[in-house]
Amino acid sequence: MSKPTHTPTVPTPGAPPPGAPKVGIVSLGCPKALVDSERILTKLRSEGYEVSPSYDDADVVLVNTCGFLDSAKQESLDAIGEAMRENGRVIVTGCMGVEEGRIREMYPNVLAVTGPHQYEQVVSAVHDHLPPVHNPYTDLVPPEGLRLTPRHYAYLKISEGCNHRCSFCIIPSLRGDLASRPAGNVLREAERLVNAGVRELMVISQDTSAYGLDLRHAESEFKGRKVRAHMTDLARELGGLGAWVRLHYVYPYPHVDEVIPLMAEGLVLPYLDIPFQHASPNVLKAMKRPANQEKVLDRIRGWREVCPDLTIRSTFIVGFPGETEQDFQFLLDWLSEAKIDRLGCFKYEAVDGAPANAIEGAVPEEVKEERWNRLMAHQQAISEERMQAKVGRTIDVIIDEVDEEGAIGRSAADAPEIDGSVFLNGDTSVAVGDIVQVTVEHAEEYDLWGTRVDA
Ligand code: SF4
């Protein structure tokens, strides 16, 4: 800074690209805070930002504060004041960030306040107020990142880990407890993907409905407004980006009710992927999953009243240790009521390290096989009935493939790879990623056939 009272010497290896956005930093406090500042700068520098040594030259100034003692807090507030006077575009981070109210009372115009060790949040705040400039000659990675999916759809991971402890699963021991990404961060990634041509975003996590619990649903910035880290708020914001939004791995918590109106409005696809795993209270209890399936049935009925087009996809496990014929029959009866649209079924397999291995009453392989066959046959009748109801309707279809014989796409009811397809025989005048209107002429158990309305 021009008056470098608190400024550390910052090495700036390599020449930044011409016109690179410039970030200044004032780093206060202990060596841990200094390391945090270095980490933030390293990340920003790797994204093409230039580190500015003066207030005058900086496009934005970061103040990494200390809040250990009252005197340190005062020094932090003074440093924020100096940066506001000298530059005016200030982002506050570090230990004092936990006292956002006090900072904003004195300096209402600071651009953002983040707390200690919130690297992702502070970098996000810089992106919000001073977007990075993509340099196609030097950046090895395009702004939307490298992807293994086709250009027109992408998976959007909103969290890692899981707070549940289902007895058949070892994911929490491998990946730890739920760790959600700030909403602003997820939304910026989604926006980059949409700008790069993605027409469908698939939201994934271990438990999408738990999103943000670990962050206490803290708000973060996206396009100058605050967005809560909460499934409903995130779904609404994603819906505003103009791409299809599909929600995977949702647990049937009561607050899932809140996203159904967004589906009815057309902001989010009317599709919920809920891995129920079973319906019998005994088996669910042994699986350590919520066991009130009567309430879930009521909830499903309520969802369909609000959004009649809702597709529910689910997975189930048959042959879980201790599953009796009565439990299995309960599951079949439950499926008849729930009318799940898309269903995957697995025969229980012991996973090394899973607590379920210790549960007595292993189900013989031939019984698992027999139950699997019965369940699939039972579901086939339900699926067929639901698919036949689509004949004669006009639906939106996203195109996945086009060749000389025609096009293949998917409806809102079909996630890629796991659900069905919509065949447009002989239609070669569409392109991959187009979303077109199709009148359904024929339906089978999983797939539909139809003709484009404007063909
Ligand atoms: S099965 Fe899913 S919800 Fe259950 S512990 Fe594993 S990741 Fe979590």
Side-chain angles (χ1 to χ4, degrees), residues 396-436:
D396 285 343
V397 171
I398 187 163
I399 302 298
D400 283 335
E401 279 176 59
V402 186
D403 63 21
E404 62 282 359
E405 289 176 14
I408 305 175
R410 288 174 293 107
S411 70
D414 306 300
E417 312 288 340
I418 50 176
D419 294 325
S421 299
V422 182
F423 293 90
L424 309 183
N425 290 346
D427 192 340
T428 54
S429 57
V430 285
V432 170
D434 284 354
I435 296 177
V436 295

mmCIF file of all heavy atoms in Angstrom, residues 396-436:
data_model
loop_
_atom_site.group_PDB
_atom_site.id
_atom_site.type_symbol
_atom_site.label_atom_id
_atom_site.label_comp_id
_atom_site.label_asym_id
_atom_site.label_seq_id
_atom_site.Cartn_x
_atom_site.Cartn_y
_atom_site.Cartn_z
ATOM 1 N N ASP A 396 -41.294 -31.728 -22.899
ATOM 2 C CA ASP A 396 -39.987 -31.204 -23.301
ATOM 3 C C ASP A 396 -38.968 -32.339 -23.294
ATOM 4 O O ASP A 396 -38.975 -33.171 -22.372
ATOM 5 C CB ASP A 396 -39.521 -30.120 -22.319
ATOM 6 C CG ASP A 396 -40.272 -28.822 -22.530
ATOM 7 O OD1 ASP A 396 -40.884 -28.655 -23.608
ATOM 8 O OD2 ASP A 396 -40.252 -27.968 -21.621
ATOM 9 N N VAL A 397 -38.096 -32.327 -24.292
ATOM 10 C CA VAL A 397 -37.074 -33.375 -24.402
ATOM 11 C C VAL A 397 -35.728 -32.718 -24.694
ATOM 12 O O VAL A 397 -35.636 -31.848 -25.566
ATOM 13 C CB VAL A 397 -37.448 -34.373 -25.536
ATOM 14 C CG1 VAL A 397 -36.302 -35.336 -25.825
ATOM 15 C CG2 VAL A 397 -38.713 -35.143 -25.169
ATOM 16 N N ILE A 398 -34.701 -33.118 -23.961
ATOM 17 C CA ILE A 398 -33.348 -32.622 -24.241
ATOM 18 C C ILE A 398 -32.648 -33.680 -25.103
ATOM 19 O O ILE A 398 -32.738 -34.876 -24.808
ATOM 20 C CB ILE A 398 -32.568 -32.318 -22.929
ATOM 21 C CG1 ILE A 398 -31.232 -31.647 -23.229
ATOM 22 C CG2 ILE A 398 -32.336 -33.571 -22.077
ATOM 23 C CD1 ILE A 398 -30.604 -30.964 -22.025
ATOM 24 N N ILE A 399 -32.011 -33.229 -26.163
ATOM 25 C CA ILE A 399 -31.428 -34.173 -27.131
ATOM 26 C C ILE A 399 -30.006 -34.570 -26.688
ATOM 27 O O ILE A 399 -29.157 -33.721 -26.441
ATOM 28 C CB ILE A 399 -31.378 -33.540 -28.546
ATOM 29 C CG1 ILE A 399 -32.792 -33.112 -29.002
ATOM 30 C CG2 ILE A 399 -30.744 -34.490 -29.558
ATOM 31 C CD1 ILE A 399 -33.804 -34.231 -29.122
ATOM 32 N N ASP A 400 -29.779 -35.894 -26.613
ATOM 33 C CA ASP A 400 -28.464 -36.425 -26.218
ATOM 34 C C ASP A 400 -27.625 -36.913 -27.394
ATOM 35 O O ASP A 400 -26.394 -36.882 -27.345
ATOM 36 C CB ASP A 400 -28.639 -37.620 -25.263
ATOM 37 C CG ASP A 400 -29.008 -37.200 -23.850
ATOM 38 O OD1 ASP A 400 -28.679 -36.070 -23.458
ATOM 39 O OD2 ASP A 400 -29.635 -38.003 -23.141
ATOM 40 N N GLU A 401 -28.311 -37.430 -28.429
ATOM 41 C CA GLU A 401 -27.580 -38.041 -29.549
ATOM 42 C C GLU A 401 -28.363 -37.821 -30.835
ATOM 43 O O GLU A 401 -29.598 -37.882 -30.809
ATOM 44 C CB GLU A 401 -27.542 -39.575 -29.387
ATOM 45 C CG GLU A 401 -26.493 -40.102 -28.455
ATOM 46 C CD GLU A 401 -26.666 -41.630 -28.340
ATOM 47 O OE1 GLU A 401 -26.577 -42.330 -29.381
ATOM 48 O OE2 GLU A 401 -26.918 -42.081 -27.211
ATOM 49 N N VAL A 402 -27.637 -37.598 -31.926
ATOM 50 C CA VAL A 402 -28.305 -37.522 -33.238
ATOM 51 C C VAL A 402 -27.462 -38.320 -34.224
ATOM 52 O O VAL A 402 -26.238 -38.151 -34.271
ATOM 53 C CB VAL A 402 -28.411 -36.051 -33.738
ATOM 54 C CG1 VAL A 402 -29.230 -35.991 -35.031
ATOM 55 C CG2 VAL A 402 -29.015 -35.134 -32.687
ATOM 56 N N ASP A 403 -28.097 -39.214 -34.975
ATOM 57 C CA ASP A 403 -27.386 -39.880 -36.069
ATOM 58 C C ASP A 403 -28.324 -39.993 -37.270
ATOM 59 O O ASP A 403 -29.409 -39.397 -37.252
ATOM 60 C CB ASP A 403 -26.802 -41.234 -35.640
ATOM 61 C CG ASP A 403 -27.881 -42.234 -35.242
ATOM 62 O OD1 ASP A 403 -29.048 -42.037 -35.660
ATOM 63 O OD2 ASP A 403 -27.574 -43.198 -34.530
ATOM 64 N N GLU A 404 -27.905 -40.758 -38.282
ATOM 65 C CA GLU A 404 -28.708 -40.775 -39.521
ATOM 66 C C GLU A 404 -30.094 -41.399 -39.312
ATOM 67 O O GLU A 404 -30.999 -41.196 -40.120
ATOM 68 C CB GLU A 404 -27.930 -41.451 -40.677
ATOM 69 C CG GLU A 404 -27.547 -42.897 -40.516
ATOM 70 C CD GLU A 404 -26.317 -43.105 -39.605
ATOM 71 O OE1 GLU A 404 -25.724 -42.129 -39.097
ATOM 72 O OE2 GLU A 404 -25.973 -44.271 -39.414
ATOM 73 N N GLU A 405 -30.268 -42.147 -38.210
ATOM 74 C CA GLU A 405 -31.577 -42.789 -37.992
ATOM 75 C C GLU A 405 -32.538 -41.932 -37.178
ATOM 76 O O GLU A 405 -33.709 -42.246 -37.047
ATOM 77 C CB GLU A 405 -31.376 -44.121 -37.274
ATOM 78 C CG GLU A 405 -30.734 -45.153 -38.175
ATOM 79 C CD GLU A 405 -30.442 -46.450 -37.457
ATOM 80 O OE1 GLU A 405 -30.964 -46.655 -36.344
ATOM 81 O OE2 GLU A 405 -29.675 -47.227 -38.014
ATOM 82 N N GLY A 406 -32.009 -40.881 -36.588
ATOM 83 C CA GLY A 406 -32.882 -40.031 -35.783
ATOM 84 C C GLY A 406 -32.180 -39.516 -34.537
ATOM 85 O O GLY A 406 -30.950 -39.545 -34.450
ATOM 86 N N ALA A 407 -32.988 -39.067 -33.589
ATOM 87 C CA ALA A 407 -32.407 -38.471 -32.382
ATOM 88 C C ALA A 407 -32.889 -39.224 -31.147
ATOM 89 O O ALA A 407 -33.967 -39.813 -31.136
ATOM 90 C CB ALA A 407 -32.825 -37.002 -32.293
ATOM 91 N N ILE A 408 -32.046 -39.180 -30.132
ATOM 92 C CA ILE A 408 -32.413 -39.784 -28.847
ATOM 93 C C ILE A 408 -32.263 -38.701 -27.782
ATOM 94 O O ILE A 408 -31.238 -38.004 -27.727
ATOM 95 C CB ILE A 408 -31.504 -40.985 -28.490
ATOM 96 C CG1 ILE A 408 -31.507 -42.019 -29.614
ATOM 97 C CG2 ILE A 408 -31.965 -41.623 -27.173
ATOM 98 C CD1 ILE A 408 -30.548 -43.179 -29.396
ATOM 99 N N GLY A 409 -33.276 -38.570 -26.956
ATOM 100 C CA GLY A 409 -33.216 -37.557 -25.900
ATOM 101 C C GLY A 409 -33.769 -38.104 -24.607
ATOM 102 O O GLY A 409 -34.001 -39.307 -24.454
ATOM 103 N N ARG A 410 -34.008 -37.188 -23.705
ATOM 104 C CA ARG A 410 -34.565 -37.547 -22.393
ATOM 105 C C ARG A 410 -35.606 -36.514 -22.002
ATOM 106 O O ARG A 410 -35.480 -35.335 -22.348
ATOM 107 C CB ARG A 410 -33.474 -37.553 -21.328
ATOM 108 C CG ARG A 410 -32.503 -38.690 -21.407
ATOM 109 C CD ARG A 410 -31.386 -38.532 -20.407
ATOM 110 N NE ARG A 410 -30.539 -37.397 -20.728
ATOM 111 C CZ ARG A 410 -30.517 -36.260 -20.072
ATOM 112 N NH1 ARG A 410 -31.300 -36.068 -19.028
ATOM 113 N NH2 ARG A 410 -29.713 -35.279 -20.449
ATOM 114 N N SER A 411 -36.602 -36.956 -21.255
ATOM 115 C CA SER A 411 -37.609 -36.020 -20.744
ATOM 116 C C SER A 411 -37.184 -35.573 -19.352
ATOM 117 O O SER A 411 -36.168 -36.049 -18.813
ATOM 118 C CB SER A 411 -38.964 -36.721 -20.663
ATOM 119 O OG SER A 411 -38.934 -37.677 -19.628
ATOM 120 N N ALA A 412 -37.988 -34.711 -18.739
ATOM 121 C CA ALA A 412 -37.697 -34.279 -17.366
ATOM 122 C C ALA A 412 -37.674 -35.468 -16.411
ATOM 123 O O ALA A 412 -37.056 -35.423 -15.358
ATOM 124 C CB ALA A 412 -38.767 -33.276 -16.919
ATOM 125 N N ALA A 413 -38.331 -36.559 -16.813
ATOM 126 C CA ALA A 413 -38.413 -37.733 -15.942
ATOM 127 C C ALA A 413 -37.210 -38.662 -16.075
ATOM 128 O O ALA A 413 -37.169 -39.702 -15.415
ATOM 129 C CB ALA A 413 -39.690 -38.517 -16.262
ATOM 130 N N ASP A 414 -36.230 -38.286 -16.914
ATOM 131 C CA ASP A 414 -35.115 -39.192 -17.189
ATOM 132 C C ASP A 414 -33.764 -38.536 -16.921
ATOM 133 O O ASP A 414 -33.346 -37.658 -17.680
ATOM 134 C CB ASP A 414 -35.121 -39.609 -18.669
ATOM 135 C CG ASP A 414 -36.456 -40.191 -19.098
ATOM 136 O OD1 ASP A 414 -36.855 -41.203 -18.517
ATOM 137 O OD2 ASP A 414 -37.098 -39.607 -20.003
ATOM 138 N N ALA A 415 -33.081 -39.010 -15.897
ATOM 139 C CA ALA A 415 -31.697 -38.559 -15.685
ATOM 140 C C ALA A 415 -30.797 -39.359 -16.620
ATOM 141 O O ALA A 415 -31.105 -40.516 -16.936
ATOM 142 C CB ALA A 415 -31.292 -38.798 -14.237
ATOM 143 N N PRO A 416 -29.680 -38.764 -17.067
ATOM 144 C CA PRO A 416 -28.798 -39.508 -17.960
ATOM 145 C C PRO A 416 -28.229 -40.757 -17.279
ATOM 146 O O PRO A 416 -28.032 -40.763 -16.079
ATOM 147 C CB PRO A 416 -27.673 -38.513 -18.279
ATOM 148 C CG PRO A 416 -27.904 -37.315 -17.462
ATOM 149 C CD PRO A 416 -29.212 -37.416 -16.780
ATOM 150 N N GLU A 417 -27.994 -41.764 -18.078
ATOM 151 C CA GLU A 417 -27.364 -43.022 -17.662
ATOM 152 C C GLU A 417 -28.274 -43.940 -16.846
ATOM 153 O O GLU A 417 -28.185 -45.151 -16.963
ATOM 154 C CB GLU A 417 -26.067 -42.796 -16.827
ATOM 155 C CG GLU A 417 -25.083 -41.798 -17.414
ATOM 156 C CD GLU A 417 -24.371 -42.323 -18.639
ATOM 157 O OE1 GLU A 417 -24.342 -43.541 -18.818
ATOM 158 O OE2 GLU A 417 -23.883 -41.497 -19.439
ATOM 159 N N ILE A 418 -29.147 -43.387 -15.994
ATOM 160 C CA ILE A 418 -29.877 -44.277 -15.075
ATOM 161 C C ILE A 418 -31.347 -44.459 -15.444
ATOM 162 O O ILE A 418 -31.952 -45.426 -15.015
ATOM 163 C CB ILE A 418 -29.778 -43.791 -13.608
ATOM 164 C CG1 ILE A 418 -30.142 -42.302 -13.482
ATOM 165 C CG2 ILE A 418 -28.406 -44.057 -13.042
ATOM 166 C CD1 ILE A 418 -30.167 -41.796 -12.050
ATOM 167 N N ASP A 419 -31.943 -43.528 -16.205
ATOM 168 C CA ASP A 419 -33.370 -43.635 -16.511
ATOM 169 C C ASP A 419 -33.577 -43.961 -17.994
ATOM 170 O O ASP A 419 -32.662 -44.410 -18.665
ATOM 171 C CB ASP A 419 -34.100 -42.340 -16.112
ATOM 172 C CG ASP A 419 -34.086 -42.109 -14.608
ATOM 173 O OD1 ASP A 419 -34.160 -43.111 -13.864
ATOM 174 O OD2 ASP A 419 -33.995 -40.954 -14.175
ATOM 175 N N GLY A 420 -34.771 -43.676 -18.490
ATOM 176 C CA GLY A 420 -35.103 -44.053 -19.860
ATOM 177 C C GLY A 420 -34.711 -43.004 -20.892
ATOM 178 O O GLY A 420 -34.036 -42.012 -20.590
ATOM 179 N N SER A 421 -35.175 -43.254 -22.141
ATOM 180 C CA SER A 421 -34.872 -42.347 -23.261
ATOM 181 C C SER A 421 -36.164 -42.015 -23.991
ATOM 182 O O SER A 421 -37.180 -42.696 -23.837
ATOM 183 C CB SER A 421 -33.928 -43.015 -24.260
ATOM 184 O OG SER A 421 -32.710 -43.347 -23.645
ATOM 185 N N VAL A 422 -36.085 -40.964 -24.801
ATOM 186 C CA VAL A 422 -37.193 -40.626 -25.703
ATOM 187 C C VAL A 422 -36.618 -40.701 -27.123
ATOM 188 O O VAL A 422 -35.637 -40.015 -27.437
ATOM 189 C CB VAL A 422 -37.743 -39.207 -25.428
ATOM 190 C CG1 VAL A 422 -38.922 -38.915 -26.351
ATOM 191 C CG2 VAL A 422 -38.147 -39.055 -23.971
ATOM 192 N N PHE A 423 -37.211 -41.542 -27.952
ATOM 193 C CA PHE A 423 -36.696 -41.752 -29.312
ATOM 194 C C PHE A 423 -37.496 -40.918 -30.307
ATOM 195 O O PHE A 423 -38.729 -40.964 -30.310
ATOM 196 C CB PHE A 423 -36.785 -43.237 -29.682
ATOM 197 C CG PHE A 423 -35.852 -44.093 -28.856
ATOM 198 C CD1 PHE A 423 -36.272 -44.640 -27.651
ATOM 199 C CD2 PHE A 423 -34.545 -44.315 -29.269
ATOM 200 C CE1 PHE A 423 -35.413 -45.401 -26.872
ATOM 201 C CE2 PHE A 423 -33.672 -45.070 -28.499
ATOM 202 C CZ PHE A 423 -34.112 -45.624 -27.297
ATOM 203 N N LEU A 424 -36.773 -40.153 -31.129
ATOM 204 C CA LEU A 424 -37.408 -39.385 -32.210
ATOM 205 C C LEU A 424 -36.933 -40.010 -33.520
ATOM 206 O O LEU A 424 -35.952 -39.558 -34.125
ATOM 207 C CB LEU A 424 -36.983 -37.913 -32.147
ATOM 208 C CG LEU A 424 -37.128 -37.181 -30.801
ATOM 209 C CD1 LEU A 424 -36.725 -35.728 -30.936
ATOM 210 C CD2 LEU A 424 -38.553 -37.280 -30.293
ATOM 211 N N ASN A 425 -37.591 -41.089 -33.921
ATOM 212 C CA ASN A 425 -37.136 -41.826 -35.106
ATOM 213 C C ASN A 425 -37.204 -40.941 -36.352
ATOM 214 O O ASN A 425 -38.204 -40.264 -36.583
ATOM 215 C CB ASN A 425 -37.991 -43.084 -35.315
ATOM 216 C CG ASN A 425 -37.702 -44.118 -34.235
ATOM 217 O OD1 ASN A 425 -36.706 -44.006 -33.519
ATOM 218 N ND2 ASN A 425 -38.571 -45.107 -34.116
ATOM 219 N N GLY A 426 -36.108 -40.942 -37.119
ATOM 220 C CA GLY A 426 -36.083 -40.211 -38.386
ATOM 221 C C GLY A 426 -35.859 -38.712 -38.246
ATOM 222 O O GLY A 426 -35.724 -38.009 -39.241
ATOM 223 N N ASP A 427 -35.787 -38.200 -37.038
ATOM 224 C CA ASP A 427 -35.605 -36.744 -36.868
ATOM 225 C C ASP A 427 -34.113 -36.425 -36.748
ATOM 226 O O ASP A 427 -33.488 -36.678 -35.721
ATOM 227 C CB ASP A 427 -36.359 -36.279 -35.615
ATOM 228 C CG ASP A 427 -36.456 -34.758 -35.550
ATOM 229 O OD1 ASP A 427 -35.647 -34.076 -36.222
ATOM 230 O OD2 ASP A 427 -37.330 -34.250 -34.828
ATOM 231 N N THR A 428 -33.565 -35.894 -37.832
ATOM 232 C CA THR A 428 -32.126 -35.613 -37.827
ATOM 233 C C THR A 428 -31.851 -34.103 -37.832
ATOM 234 O O THR A 428 -30.711 -33.679 -37.981
ATOM 235 C CB THR A 428 -31.454 -36.239 -39.075
ATOM 236 O OG1 THR A 428 -32.153 -35.772 -40.231
ATOM 237 C CG2 THR A 428 -31.498 -37.747 -39.032
ATOM 238 N N SER A 429 -32.910 -33.312 -37.709
ATOM 239 C CA SER A 429 -32.688 -31.861 -37.827
ATOM 240 C C SER A 429 -32.566 -31.174 -36.465
ATOM 241 O O SER A 429 -32.693 -29.964 -36.369
ATOM 242 C CB SER A 429 -33.822 -31.232 -38.640
ATOM 243 O OG SER A 429 -35.047 -31.541 -38.011
ATOM 244 N N VAL A 430 -32.335 -31.955 -35.420
ATOM 245 C CA VAL A 430 -32.088 -31.348 -34.106
ATOM 246 C C VAL A 430 -30.606 -31.511 -33.782
ATOM 247 O O VAL A 430 -29.904 -32.292 -34.426
ATOM 248 C CB VAL A 430 -32.935 -32.029 -33.003
ATOM 249 C CG1 VAL A 430 -34.381 -31.605 -33.075
ATOM 250 C CG2 VAL A 430 -32.814 -33.540 -33.068
ATOM 251 N N ALA A 431 -30.138 -30.779 -32.775
ATOM 252 C CA ALA A 431 -28.731 -30.877 -32.389
ATOM 253 C C ALA A 431 -28.647 -31.300 -30.924
ATOM 254 O O ALA A 431 -29.567 -31.051 -30.141
ATOM 255 C CB ALA A 431 -28.047 -29.520 -32.581
ATOM 256 N N VAL A 432 -27.508 -31.904 -30.592
ATOM 257 C CA VAL A 432 -27.293 -32.315 -29.204
ATOM 258 C C VAL A 432 -27.387 -31.088 -28.298
ATOM 259 O O VAL A 432 -26.813 -30.043 -28.590
ATOM 260 C CB VAL A 432 -25.911 -33.005 -29.071
ATOM 261 C CG1 VAL A 432 -25.554 -33.235 -27.602
ATOM 262 C CG2 VAL A 432 -25.913 -34.323 -29.833
ATOM 263 N N GLY A 433 -28.142 -31.206 -27.223
ATOM 264 C CA GLY A 433 -28.320 -30.090 -26.282
ATOM 265 C C GLY A 433 -29.578 -29.281 -26.539
ATOM 266 O O GLY A 433 -30.001 -28.516 -25.674
ATOM 267 N N ASP A 434 -30.205 -29.455 -27.718
ATOM 268 C CA ASP A 434 -31.480 -28.751 -27.973
ATOM 269 C C ASP A 434 -32.538 -29.255 -26.996
ATOM 270 O O ASP A 434 -32.570 -30.441 -26.657
ATOM 271 C CB ASP A 434 -32.005 -29.056 -29.394
ATOM 272 C CG ASP A 434 -31.248 -28.299 -30.477
ATOM 273 O OD1 ASP A 434 -30.411 -27.458 -30.121
ATOM 274 O OD2 ASP A 434 -31.502 -28.572 -31.677
ATOM 275 N N ILE A 435 -33.407 -28.358 -26.596
ATOM 276 C CA ILE A 435 -34.576 -28.786 -25.816
ATOM 277 C C ILE A 435 -35.795 -28.534 -26.699
ATOM 278 O O ILE A 435 -36.044 -27.399 -27.118
ATOM 279 C CB ILE A 435 -34.664 -28.028 -24.478
ATOM 280 C CG1 ILE A 435 -33.448 -28.396 -23.615
ATOM 281 C CG2 ILE A 435 -35.975 -28.379 -23.747
ATOM 282 C CD1 ILE A 435 -33.342 -27.675 -22.294
ATOM 283 N N VAL A 436 -36.489 -29.630 -27.043
ATOM 284 C CA VAL A 436 -37.572 -29.530 -28.028
ATOM 285 C C VAL A 436 -38.859 -30.103 -27.443
ATOM 286 O O VAL A 436 -38.830 -30.860 -26.471
ATOM 287 C CB VAL A 436 -37.213 -30.305 -29.329
ATOM 288 C CG1 VAL A 436 -36.026 -29.671 -30.032
ATOM 289 C CG2 VAL A 436 -36.920 -31.776 -29.048
#
